[in-house]
């Protein structure tokens, strides 16, 4: 049994976590650029972070037979200052254009972009990063706001994406819950469920959502990071689905085949 | 799937029987239910006047949804806790983090 965790922030996790994930069957992960828990003081801080994501982290993962892929962007929380955000965004094309990226680099697209507090400033930078993805023909991974801001934010984000020319089949909208998943799928996007203790979706609810909305264009991830999170959340959700009697093919579809299908739209996603 | 089908018309497929669902999950959710009961008792035992906090108001409304006999309770509870306003602030400067609910009199209530 092998699986892909398509959203996890390994820079915040220990090497032991890679080992445990490998033991649980993880063969590939994708790591979106995100907020580090504090605001960086300069664009240079992001440059170093992007190097960590594209150079260092793949080597650490490889020690355990896990392939590491990544997404670059300025996250919505630090995108509220447009001047600063633009400085960071301007560095991204170099990472997309580098020789490694043109043949076998690990950048899959722009992400996780989105909204945090649903502000006009965040929306402007979101639109500019959608345009960047369009220009460079990149996949898009979307962060949706949490708690009371999720429903409104998810709709604003989908409207911004629909105004672009990017095929919704090349966009994954993450952190969906029961009140957002149907609109995301109805509009043709892919949907991601984040399994996170306390604040997001439990393995039980993820299995419920698959039962209610089907197993097409949907995946699940741990979004493990520096907060209380569980890097083994995906294998736990697999067990939950098996316990209910879901066919192994269905379990594999949502935890391996679906992520593989979506991510393979990037020429840089090649499983070895 | 007919062409008018939308994901809002949930499939509702579940490989377990109702009896199996109860057998599998009763103990886990019995514990969570007692947690909620104890939380409401804890608010009652707190000192001072009723807080009239918008989160507390929304919480009690959400508990009513659990027993209204209608489908899609999780979705409706999440909608109840959601911001339904349409204005956008310019910046997040000085804004508090997410609180998990909104005032049902201004901005809430689906
Ligand atoms: Zn994330």
């Amino acid at each position: 049994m092998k699986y892909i965790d398509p959203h996890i922030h390994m820079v915040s996790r220990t090497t032991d976590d890679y080992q445990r994930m490998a033991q649980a069957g993880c063969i590939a992960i994708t790591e979106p650029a995100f907020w580090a828990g504090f605001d960086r003081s300069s664009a240079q801080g992001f440059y170093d972070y992007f190097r960590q994501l594209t150079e260092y982290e793949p080597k650490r993962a490889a020690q355990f037979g896990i392939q590491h892929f990544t997404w670059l962007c300025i996250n919505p929380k630090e995108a509220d200052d447009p001047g600063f955000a633009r400085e960071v965004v301007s560095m991204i094309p170099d990472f997309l254009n580098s020789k490694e990226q043109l043949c076998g680099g690990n950048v899959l697209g722009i992400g996780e972009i989105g909204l945090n507090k649903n502000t006009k400033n965040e929306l402007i930078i979101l639109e500019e990063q959608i345009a960047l993805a369009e220009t460079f023909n990149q996949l898009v991974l979307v962060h949706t706001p949490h708690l009371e801001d999720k429903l409104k934010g998810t709709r604003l984000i989908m409207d911004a994406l629909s105004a672009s020319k990017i095929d919704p089949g090349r966009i994954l909208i993450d952190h969906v819950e029961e009140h957002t998943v149907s609109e995301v799928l109805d509009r043709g996007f892919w949907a991601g469920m984040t399994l996170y203790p306390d604040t997001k979706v439990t393995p039980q609810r993820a299995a419920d959502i698959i039962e209610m909305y089907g197993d097409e264009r949907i995946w699940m991830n741990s979004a493990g990071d520096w907060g209380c999170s569980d890097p083994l959340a995906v294998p736990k959700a697999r067990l939950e689905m098996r316990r209910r009697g879901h066919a192994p093919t269905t379990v594999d579809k949502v935890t391996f085949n679906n992520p593989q299908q979506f991510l393979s739209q990037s020429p840089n996603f090649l499983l070895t | 799937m007919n062409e008018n089908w939308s994901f809002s018309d949930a499939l509702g497929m579940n490989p377990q029987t109702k009896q199996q669902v109860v057998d599998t999950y009763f103990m886990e959710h019995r514990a969570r239910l007692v947690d909620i009961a104890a939380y409401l008792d804890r608010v009652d035992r707190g000192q001072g006047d009723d807080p009239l906090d918008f989160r507390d108001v929304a919480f009690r409304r959400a508990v009513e949804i659990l027993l209204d006999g209608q489908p899609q309770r999780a979705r409706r509870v999440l909608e109840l806790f959601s911001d339904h306003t349409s204005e956008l602030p310019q910046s997040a400067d000085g804004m508090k983090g997410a609180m998990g609910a909104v005032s049902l009199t201004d901005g809430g209530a689906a």
Side-chain angles (χ1 to χ4, degrees), chain A residues 63-207:
Chain A
Q63 294 173 53
F64 301 95
I66 294 177
Q67 282 185 265
H68 180 283
F69 301 92
T70 193
W71 309 74
L72 302 180
C73 75
I74 184 162
N75 63 82
K77 196 162 165 53
E78 283 168 288
D80 197 52
D81 174 349
F84 180 74
R86 285 185 185 118
E87 209 182 324
V88 174
V89 172
S90 72
M91 299 188 305
I92 295 173
D94 279 348
F95 285 90
L96 303 177
N97 280 331
S98 71
K99 224 196 262 153
E100 297 76 44
Q101 291 307 328
L102 292 172
C103 54
N106 72 335
V107 181
L108 302 178
I110 303 300
E112 52 187 308
I113 54 172
L115 297 173
N116 176 51
K117 292 303 291 176
N118 300 332
T119 71
K120 288 181 184 163
N121 287 347
E122 291 169 5
L123 195 55
I124 290 166
I125 297 304
L126 170 65
E127 288 164 349
E128 293 182 13
Q129 294 196 95
I130 293 170
L132 179 75
E134 199 176 320
T135 305
F136 288 88
N137 195 27
Q138 296 291 307
L139 297 178
V140 177
L141 182 66
V142 172
H143 165 93
T144 52
H146 302 307
L147 301 165
E148 72 269 28
D149 299 316
K150 183 180 297 293
L151 183 64
K152 176 176 171 178
T154 302
R155 288 176 176 160
L156 287 165
I157 292 165
M158 288 193 292
D159 289 346
L161 288 163
S162 296
S164 80
K165 291 195 181 66
I166 304 176
D167 172 1
R170 290 173 59 82
I171 299 168
L172 184 127
I173 300 194
D174 215 333
H175 317 321
V176 300
E177 293 188 47
E178 288 85 343
H179 57 325
T180 55
V181 62
S182 63
E183 280 182 55
V184 167
L185 293 171
D186 269 338
R187 293 176 69 158
F189 301 106
W190 281 69
M193 293 183 287
T194 294
L195 309 162
Y196 211 85
D198 305 330
T199 53
K200 299 189 185 86
V201 173
T202 58
Q204 289 90 331
R205 281 172 56 205

Side-chain angles (χ1 to χ4, degrees), chain A residues 80 116-124 146-149 151-152 155-156 177-179 181-183 185-186 202 204-205 208 210-217 240 243-246, chain B residues 5-16 24-25 28-29 32 72 74-75 78-79 81-93 95-102:
Chain A
D80 197 52
N116 176 51
K117 292 303 291 176
N118 300 332
T119 71
K120 288 181 184 163
N121 287 347
E122 291 169 5
L123 195 55
I124 290 166
H146 302 307
L147 301 165
E148 72 269 28
D149 299 316
L151 183 64
K152 176 176 171 178
R155 288 176 176 160
L156 287 165
E177 293 188 47
E178 288 85 343
H179 57 325
V181 62
S182 63
E183 280 182 55
L185 293 171
D186 269 338
T202 58
Q204 289 90 331
R205 281 172 56 205
D208 291 336
I210 287 163
E211 288 165 8
M212 290 190 285
Y213 300 103
D215 58 12
E216 293 296 333
R217 279 188 287 124
E240 172 65 21
R243 162 162 95 149
R244 293 187 187 189
H246 286 282
Chain B
W5 188 88
S6 120
F7 282 95
S8 324
D9 312 316
L11 301 171
M13 171 273 290
N14 180 346
Q16 295 183 293
T24 308
Y25 296 105
E28 175 186 339
H29 294 288
R32 292 189 188 175
Q72 304 225 16
R75 175 191 186 136
L78 286 165
E79 282 171 354
F81 286 132
S82 294
D83 175 13
H84 292 270
T85 62
S86 54
E87 329 50 90
L88 306 185
Q90 185 66 44
S91 156
D93 236 10
M95 279 170 89
K96 283 193 196 140
M99 308 277 279
V102 291

Side-chain angles (χ1 to χ4, degrees), chain A residues 8-11 31-34 46-58 68-73 106-107 111:
Chain A
I8 184 164
H9 300 287
M10 292 310 296
V11 298
E31 174 158 8
F34 85 139
F46 280 88
Y47 182 81
D48 289 340
Y49 177 43
F50 294 162
R51 283 190 48 227
Q52 186 179 15
L53 291 173
T54 54
E55 295 172 20
Y56 176 69
E57 213 51 47
H68 180 283
F69 301 92
T70 193
W71 309 74
L72 302 180
C73 75
N106 72 335
V107 181

